């Protein structure tokens, strides 16, 4: 059991199986009070923009159709300051491309780049 103090965790990933597995791990570790899963970064940013979703932590997939992780971050940057409620944004990806890792590290919103799949051990390290 992990006590993070997070109220709402947003998981953005277009892969249903990845979402299912990640959500189960987040729930079993009590990572946040609420786990919200969106398969579309466009839908997620719209919900944040309109105030219907106020996550304090986000797990963001990198490679998605329509809007990828970096495009989501560009839109996130355009939000009003009071809509940017996420204290931490973790880039969650299966990409092994060093350019993706470097670019994530240079983004002011990304707390850490995490290679899929997420595990209980990784969650414990994130909250240590």
């Amino acid at each position: 059991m992990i006590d993070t103090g997070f109220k709402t965790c947003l998981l953005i990933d277009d892969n249903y199986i990845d979402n299912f597995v990640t959500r189960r791990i987040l729930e079993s570790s009590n990572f946040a009070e609420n786990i919200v899963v969106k398969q579309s970064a466009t839908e997620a940013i719209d919900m944040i923009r309109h105030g219907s979703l106020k996550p304090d932590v986000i797990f963001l997939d990198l490679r998605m159709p329509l809007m990828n992780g970096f495009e989501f971050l560009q839109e996130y940057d355009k939000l009003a300051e009071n809509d940017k409620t996420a204290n931490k944004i973790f880039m969650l990806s299966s990409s092994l491309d060093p350019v993706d890792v470097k670019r994530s590290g240079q983004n002011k919103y990304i707390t850490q780049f995490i290679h899929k799949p997420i595990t209980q051990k990784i969650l414990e390290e994130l909250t240590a």
Side-chain angles (χ1 to χ4, degrees):
M1 299 293 244
I2 301 171
D3 182 18
T4 62
F6 293 127
K7 183 168 172 36
T8 302
C9 174
L10 173 60
L11 171 59
I12 307 170
D13 193 329
D14 63 310
N15 186 300
Y16 176 82
I17 300 297
D18 287 347
N19 283 339
F20 180 80
V21 171
T22 303
R23 180 184 196 127
R24 296 289 284 206
I25 291 168
L26 290 169
E27 287 174 343
S28 69
S29 65
N30 287 325
F31 190 78
E33 289 178 35
N34 305 305
I35 312 284
V36 178
V37 179
K38 293 294 168 196
Q39 286 187 264
S40 161
T42 307
E43 181 184 0
I45 199 72
D46 286 345
M47 291 180 76
I48 294 169
R49 186 178 289 122
H50 295 109
S52 58
L53 182 58
K54 294 186 177 293
D56 46 357
V57 63
I58 298 173
F59 287 94
L60 176 63
D61 186 24
L62 177 57
R63 299 183 190 270
M64 296 179 284
L66 303 178
M67 179 185 285
N68 69 34
F70 291 120
E71 291 166 336
F72 172 89
L73 292 168
Q74 288 171 347
E75 292 303 309
Y76 189 84
D77 189 51
K78 296 175 189 174
L79 295 174
E81 285 305 314
N82 61 335
D83 290 333
K84 295 177 191 171
T85 57
N87 297 323
K88 295 181 184 282
I89 300 178
F90 299 103
M91 187 67 82
L92 187 59
S93 182
S94 55
S95 171
L96 298 175
D97 185 341
V99 174
D100 289 339
V101 176
K102 182 178 180 184
R103 192 170 168 201
S104 293
Q106 294 170 338
N107 187 288
K108 66 182 178 181
Y109 296 110
I110 298 295
T111 303
Q112 187 174 334
F113 186 98
I114 302 168
H115 289 284
K116 289 181 184 178
I118 200 159
T119 63
Q120 180 76 27
K121 185 176 188 301
I122 290 171
L123 289 179
E124 289 170 4
E125 289 170 2
L126 295 179
T127 58

